[in-house]
Amino acid sequence: MSLQDTLIGPGYVARIDGLAPGKSSPSENEKLKGLLHKHKVILIRGQHYTPEDYLALARSFGELEPFFISDYSLKDHPEIYILSNVRVDGTPLGRDGAGTHWHSDSTFTPRPSAATFLQAIKVPKNGGDTLFADCQASYDALDPPMKDRLEGLRAIHRYQKKEYLFTADDTVSRSEAKAIRALQQVREQEEKAKAPSPTARMDNAVPEQKHPLVRTHPVTGKKGLFLNAEMMVGIEGVKDIEAQELIKMLCLHATKPEFQYRHQWQKGDIVIWDNASVIHAATFTPPDEDRIMYRLTTKGDVPS
């Protein structure tokens, strides 16, 4: 059976059928990479991938990169980074509350991640969705004067600890907002009583990086906004107040509903996204519902 792609999102995002775990040929791998560049986000559903199968799938896209904080790596497979709200005897199984702001991955590094892979190991009944926003479509929608203004500007990216935001969804109910705030307070009190977490130790410790606000895709040549709502701390050569206003405006523009896709996970789902084309964000998972995800990334290019 040949690979089949079915569009499931608003002009981007496709479900891929016809892929067998651990059995894809080199030609199928190349086609799959092409489908990622075409659709920006792709979903593999209804398959059982072992950690070995999952690693082989990711390696077919490029060289894997370990996350720069190794405390939450999967035993025997350190390339796999665990994202989870589960605790075992009070110890986090994985990184809790990660990625709950709009961002492209690892923009605080010289070569941000090319592709990100997320596999659903355990899925909550409520919450835990992932949001995506098409940054090429949002760039195309800017008026010519704004495109001219952005040309040549470089944003300053700095790693900052952002675990306890818990959601990027601005449509949460009042009761969910109350639950989020209560959990934030619990986690903040826990952190005060213990040694700094792995991410807290790295807060503002990674050297700043400067990347273009408008990125040209290294494969397709398409232009798109290159954003990280919480890690962009300024714009080179632009006064701070003006820079912060511009960053806020671009992030709000890029995440308008017409550019968004919301992925509701099923156990076993693998979602792969192109960090040069989209930004993403996690949503709230209630603390009494378990969520376990396995994350992989491939090395990217220096943005230009």
Side-chain angles (χ1 to χ4, degrees), residues 19-24 32 44-57 119 121 268 270 294:
L19 196 65
K23 297 180 180 179
S24 56
L32 193 61
I44 300 169
R45 172 164 281 175
Q47 300 281 359
H48 175 68
Y49 277 75
T50 65
E52 292 79 12
D53 294 333
Y54 186 41
L55 284 163
L57 173 69
Q119 181 185 27
I121 305 301
I270 294 175
Y294 286 175

Side-chain angles (χ1 to χ4, degrees), residues 211-232:
H211 298 307
L213 274 169
V214 177
R215 180 177 186 177
T216 300
H217 195 282
V219 175
T220 67
K222 293 181 180 178
K223 287 187 174 184
L225 296 171
F226 190 55
L227 304 172
N228 189 325
E230 297 294 335
M231 307 295 173
M232 293 193 301

Side-chain angles (χ1 to χ4, degrees), residues 83-86 95-98 100 122-130 165-168 172 176 179-180 183 187 262 265 282-293:
L83 305 177
S84 180
N85 65 340
V86 176
R95 187 174 171 195
D96 185 15
T100 48
K122 193 168 186 180
V123 177
K125 292 180 180 179
N126 300 293
D129 299 342
T130 301
L165 299 175
F166 286 114
T167 190
V172 296
E176 188 171 76
I180 290 170
L183 185 57
R187 294 291 184 255
R262 186 184 196 106
W265 294 90
T283 61
F284 182 59
T285 302
D288 58 347
E289 301 215 24
D290 294 349
R291 184 178 191 261
I292 304 173
M293 314 293 283

Side-chain angles (χ1 to χ4, degrees), residues 24-296:
S24 56
S25 66
S27 62
E28 286 177 322
N29 291 337
E30 285 302 310
K31 182 175 181 181
L32 193 61
K33 285 193 283 186
L35 291 173
L36 176 62
H37 296 142
K38 175 183 177 181
H39 295 295
K40 307 170 190 178
V41 181
I42 56 177
L43 164 67
I44 300 169
R45 172 164 281 175
Q47 300 281 359
H48 175 68
Y49 277 75
T50 65
E52 292 79 12
D53 294 333
Y54 186 41
L55 284 163
L57 173 69
R59 287 191 178 107
S60 73
F61 280 74
E63 183 181 356
L64 298 184
E65 56 177 9
F67 194 67
F68 76 115
I69 298 171
S70 61
D71 297 62
Y72 303 125
S73 295
L74 182 65
K75 185 180 179 181
D76 299 328
H77 299 288
E79 304 95 335
I80 296 176
Y81 192 63
I82 305 173
L83 305 177
S84 180
N85 65 340
V86 176
R87 297 184 172 213
V88 180
D89 296 326
T91 300
L93 178 68
R95 187 174 171 195
D96 185 15
T100 48
H101 60 279
W102 285 103
H103 65 290
S104 180
D105 280 328
S106 303
T107 65
F108 47 84
T109 66
R111 294 173 55 189
S113 305
T116 299
F117 302 71
L118 205 57
Q119 181 185 27
I121 305 301
K122 193 168 186 180
V123 177
K125 292 180 180 179
N126 300 293
D129 299 342
T130 301
L131 308 176
F132 293 92
D134 185 344
C135 284
Q136 293 173 345
S138 58
Y139 172 77
D140 289 342
L142 292 172
D143 59 36
M146 178 55 69
K147 289 180 179 178
D148 290 342
R149 181 184 178 189
L150 299 179
E151 192 67 32
L153 290 182
R154 297 199 302 168
I156 302 166
H157 295 250
R158 182 192 307 144
Y159 180 77
Q160 301 177 89
K161 182 177 105 34
K162 295 292 177 182
E163 273 99 328
Y164 305 135
L165 299 175
F166 286 114
T167 190
D169 188 359
D170 58 7
T171 64
V172 296
S173 66
R174 182 175 297 178
S175 61
E176 188 171 76
K178 184 178 179 180
I180 290 170
R181 184 56 194 148
L183 185 57
Q184 286 173 332
Q185 292 173 339
V186 169
R187 294 291 184 255
E188 288 164 0
Q189 289 301 314
E190 288 176 346
E191 190 159 281
K192 287 179 181 178
K194 297 180 180 180
S197 68
T199 45
R201 293 195 300 268
M202 298 302 294
D203 188 29
N204 289 304
V206 179
E208 292 179 347
Q209 301 295 327
K210 297 174 183 176
H211 298 307
L213 274 169
V214 177
R215 180 177 186 177
T216 300
H217 195 282
V219 175
T220 67
K222 293 181 180 178
K223 287 187 174 184
L225 296 171
F226 190 55
L227 304 172
N228 189 325
E230 297 294 335
M231 307 295 173
M232 293 193 301
V233 297
I235 298 173
E236 186 179 39
V238 178
K239 292 181 179 179
D240 186 59
I241 293 178
E242 181 184 351
Q244 295 304 322
E245 289 176 349
L246 182 56
I247 288 169
K248 182 178 180 180
M249 183 278 291
L250 291 173
C251 290
L252 288 172
H253 169 73
T255 56
K256 288 178 179 177
E258 58 262 38
F259 304 129
Q260 284 193 38
Y261 165 76
R262 186 184 196 106
H263 187 68
Q264 296 177 310
W265 294 90
Q266 294 182 17
K267 184 178 179 180
D269 278 0
I270 294 175
V271 174
I272 310 168
W273 61 89
D274 179 355
N275 282 292
S277 301
V278 300
I279 53 177
H280 65 284
T283 61
F284 182 59
T285 302
D288 58 347
E289 301 215 24
D290 294 349
R291 184 178 191 261
I292 304 173
M293 314 293 283
Y294 286 175
R295 177 186 184 271
L296 289 167

